[in-house]
Amino acid sequence: MALTLDLIRADVADALGEDPADIPVDENLLDYGLDSVRIMALLGRWRRDHDVRADFADLAERPSVESWSALLGVVS
């Protein structure tokens, strides 16, 4: 399965124990409880499953689903 905006959103929701519908795509995920440990876990999963080449600093600078989607080259 390819990495998509919806999959990023679902993975973030899973990491936070939330429903994907409750995770906005354009807001700062730190405000929803995402922390550095969870970002590293998500990045590790995406590297393993989707050959993502981004690093932690890239994701931490712009912590939103929409920003990550663009950064990771996801096509809507």
Side-chain angles (χ1 to χ4, degrees), residues 8-30:
I8 292 170
R9 188 179 192 186
D11 286 349
V12 168
D14 183 56
L16 295 173
E18 299 289 340
D19 186 282
D22 295 333
I23 304 298
V25 297
D26 60 347
E27 292 188 29
N28 187 326
L29 295 170
L30 302 179

Side-chain angles (χ1 to χ4, degrees), residues 18-72:
E18 299 289 340
D19 186 282
D22 295 333
I23 304 298
V25 297
D26 60 347
E27 292 188 29
N28 187 326
L29 295 170
L30 302 179
D31 295 339
Y32 289 81
L34 195 68
D35 57 22
S36 60
V37 173
R38 290 182 176 124
I39 293 173
M40 287 298 297
L42 288 166
L43 184 56
R45 180 189 308 181
W46 296 333
R47 284 178 174 162
R48 181 188 69 232
D49 296 346
H50 303 287
D51 200 31
V52 163
R53 300 285 182 209
D55 62 27
F56 172 79
D58 294 329
L59 299 182
E61 278 182 17
R62 297 172 32 202
S64 75
V65 172
E66 195 171 62
S67 294
W68 288 356
S69 178
L71 177 71
L72 302 175

